Amino acid sequence: MKEFFKIEPKLLELDIRAREMCKDTFAEIDRISMHNQHKVLSAFINNKVSEADLGISTGYGYGDRGRDNLEKVFAECMGAEDSLIRHNFVSGTHTLAVMLFGVLRPNDTMLCLTGRPYDTLIGVLGIDGHSDGSLKDFGVNYEEVALNDEGRPNLDEIKSRLKNKFYKVAYIQRSRGYSLRPSLTVEEIGVLVKAVKEISPDTLVLVDNCYGEFVDTIEPTSVGADLIAGSLIKNPGGGIAPTGGYIAGRADLIEKCAYRLTCAGVGREVGASLGHNRELYMGLFAAPHTVGEALKTATYAGALFELLGYESTPKYDAKRADIIESVLLGSSEALIAFCQGMQKGAPVDSFVTPEPWDMPGYDDPVIMAAGAFTLGASIELSADAPLREPFAAWLQGGLNFASGQAGVLLGAQSMIDKGIIKL
Ligand SMILES: *Cc1c(COP(=O)(O)O)cnc(C)c1O
């Protein structure tokens, strides 16, 4: 390492100790990625993926066998009946919106079980005062159950709401997003699904699965969720898919989502793959391994920063439900120094210096470190941080552990250079 990067000898000693601390967790991560890799490989084999599937279609995209077969392969990987996995979902938010608009109808009510949803969903729901084109604009009502004091779903309140009223959709967000609440494990999602279905069997349980895919050996669809959705520039794209999203779950509901993705009466039969099939297959094939590398990077960051005297959540030895690590750095100066240092270790744009800026939709300035092959891909090592209490850097991704480790170390080194950390 010291041959290539300017890193203090004392920090390199901590690097060795941090990796030692991570040993057991790394072994568990390896066990899960191995299981998931075998699952994905067998789905490719069972569905007879062929070279012809990697070809391109243009125009309407009728009869695109590769596209259709990928949806079968992906459904099997997710333990689901069916799926839509397409490059023309433009983002995770778009995918989640297609899922919600796909199943909700005017006068229906959805209930979010996990407090306020991820920032970009607010506009989709129309609960920020600007309702044009939102679910609210189409007559869909929204309610939420706030998280309890520990940041967990409030099961008693959820049950009492479900007993009092029929909700068409119960919505669960697996990952914490930009909050410090614990992310939900698949097991915890299973408990929520069971509670919903016992009281109200006709309520559909939909899960925002972003950042969660392949972190565990099963997905929420295996514990009763009706639909899950996520982004391909996060976990399931394996760092190779250049754009896109997926929805997986019950076949009748996937059909409804397909009518929303394209249009009623046409559905999933169209959509030219334009040559993206190959990248989507390759990305899915790489995903279990890539997610493991990202999990190792997150674990390592937690361990290293613990040695440096900073709190991180989840702790390095905790069971993880997604690939996100929050490192509580305590001040704007520390956040800026860390992000600028991490940027220096990016394979792309290492020479630029990130600065805080007033990002639309945020009340405080945000600083971001990202030097990715795919714009905005957060399965690649990245950190973003709103400059506000508790001055946490949200760290995620890492296509391989060695480069993730270098990025995290360079972040710490930059804090040393600025006199914020004294070794
Ligand atoms: C990333 C993410 C989304 C979708 O975000 P996009 O930037 O639109 O892809 C939604 N929910 C959660 C929890 C996420 O992490």
Side-chain angles (χ1 to χ4, degrees):
M1 176 142 258
K2 56 179 183 285
E3 203 180 331
F4 305 108
F5 299 102
K6 208 179 124 291
I7 294 172
E8 212 112 324
K10 276 188 180 162
L11 183 56
L12 286 174
E13 281 167 32
L14 295 183
D15 161 63
I16 293 169
R17 277 176 60 195
R19 280 186 283 138
E20 191 62 34
M21 283 159 70
C22 292
K23 266 196 173 144
D24 292 346
T25 312
F26 280 17
E28 174 63 8
I29 292 168
D30 283 338
R31 190 189 67 77
I32 294 172
S33 6
M34 188 187 286
H35 176 96
N36 286 332
Q37 191 67 62
H38 293 160
K39 172 166 71 178
V40 170
L41 175 60
S42 81
F44 274 62
I45 295 167
N46 295 342
N47 291 284
K48 298 191 166 64
V49 173
S50 71
E51 197 186 344
D53 288 343
L54 311 180
I56 74 167
S57 68
T58 56
Y60 297 118
Y62 289 133
D64 186 324
R65 269 191 44 197
R67 178 198 66 206
D68 295 346
N69 201 22
L70 180 64
E71 300 193 322
K72 294 199 186 98
V73 173
F74 190 70
E76 187 171 327
C77 294
M78 294 293 111
E81 277 175 14
D82 203 355
S83 82
L84 291 170
I85 172 167
R86 305 242 169 165
H87 71 87
N88 36 2
F89 282 117
V90 304
S91 67
T93 307
H94 177 217
T95 314
L96 291 160
V98 168
M99 172 173 78
L100 291 168
F101 276 99
V103 302
L104 285 157
R105 296 291 177 271
N107 303 318
D108 283 347
T109 304
M110 77 177 256
L111 179 67
C112 181
L113 310 186
T114 46
R116 187 85 341 179
Y118 191 75
D119 304 51
T120 58
L121 265 294
I122 305 302
V124 174
L125 300 169
I127 52 177
D128 58 351
H130 304 281
S131 81
D132 205 15
S134 67
L135 283 162
K136 184 176 176 192
D137 199 18
F138 283 83
V140 174
N141 307 303
Y142 172 80
E143 291 179 29
E144 71 190 24
V145 178
L147 297 168
N148 68 19
D149 293 342
E150 283 109 58
R152 303 258 172 210
N154 184 339
L155 205 55
D156 292 336
E157 173 67 15
I158 290 169
K159 286 180 180 167
S160 93
R161 293 266 194 117
L162 288 162
K163 279 176 192 153
N164 283 324
K165 180 167 166 179
F166 176 71
Y167 295 93
K168 176 72 165 291
V169 161
Y171 183 84
I172 296 170
Q173 183 182 308
R174 179 170 175 182
S175 173
R176 63 187 5 183
Y178 294 109
S179 76
L180 284 173
R181 68 136 162 121
S183 300
L184 295 176
T185 62
V186 175
E187 198 183 338
E188 288 165 324
I189 291 171
V191 172
L192 287 176
V193 175
K194 194 157 166 278
V196 172
K197 298 287 181 183
E198 262 170 25
I199 296 167
S200 181
D202 293 334
T203 296
L204 301 173
V205 180
L206 310 190
V207 178
D208 172 352
N209 204 30
C210 280
Y211 285 134
E213 301 87 356
F214 299 119
V215 171
D216 206 335
T217 52
I218 52 169
E219 301 296 330
T221 21
S222 295
V223 293
D226 295 292
L227 289 175
I228 58 176
S231 162
L232 296 189
I233 61 169
K234 295 179 180 172
N235 307 13
I240 295 172
T243 182
Y246 77 87
I247 307 173
R250 253 171 60 183
D252 59 324
L253 302 175
I254 290 292
E255 188 169 333
K256 287 176 185 286
C257 295
Y259 292 142
R260 176 71 199 194
L261 170 62
T262 68
C263 51
V266 174
R268 67 192 307 170
E269 309 300 326
V270 297
S273 56
L274 303 174
H276 291 300
N277 284 347
R278 184 172 172 277
E279 289 160 307
L280 267 52
Y281 276 106
M282 267 185 89
L284 175 60
F285 188 67
H289 178 71
T290 308
V291 170
E293 298 295 288
L295 286 167
K296 286 180 183 175
T297 304
T299 303
Y300 169 78
L304 184 76
F305 274 85
E306 180 158 313
L307 292 175
L308 292 167
Y310 292 90
E311 195 189 325
S312 305
T313 68
K315 261 180 75 87
Y316 71 92
D317 54 356
K319 181 170 167 65
R320 272 159 208 278
D322 64 20
I323 63 167
I324 300 182
E325 184 71 19
S326 314
V327 186
L328 278 60
L329 293 173
S331 71
S332 313
E333 298 71 47
L335 275 183
I336 294 168
F338 175 77
C339 290
Q340 291 182 344
M342 208 180 90
Q343 183 77 34
K344 288 186 187 155
V348 180
D349 289 340
S350 58
F351 51 87
V352 305
T353 305
E355 296 288 348
W357 63 299
D358 291 309
M359 213 173 117
Y362 289 84
D363 295 336
D364 304 280
V366 176
I367 184 162
M368 294 183 166
F373 295 97
T374 295
L375 186 67
S378 42
I379 187 63
E380 301 187 48
L381 184 63
S382 47
D384 25 52
L387 299 186
R388 62 168 181 244
E389 291 287 347
F391 299 102
W394 268 263
L395 199 75
Q396 61 267 311
L399 291 181
N400 53 66
F401 173 66
S403 64
Q405 170 211 23
V408 173
L409 275 173
L410 288 167
Q413 180 63 46
S414 157
M415 291 170 69
I416 295 170
D417 293 342
K418 295 266 159 61
I420 298 161
I421 293 176
K422 293 184 183 65
L423 291 181

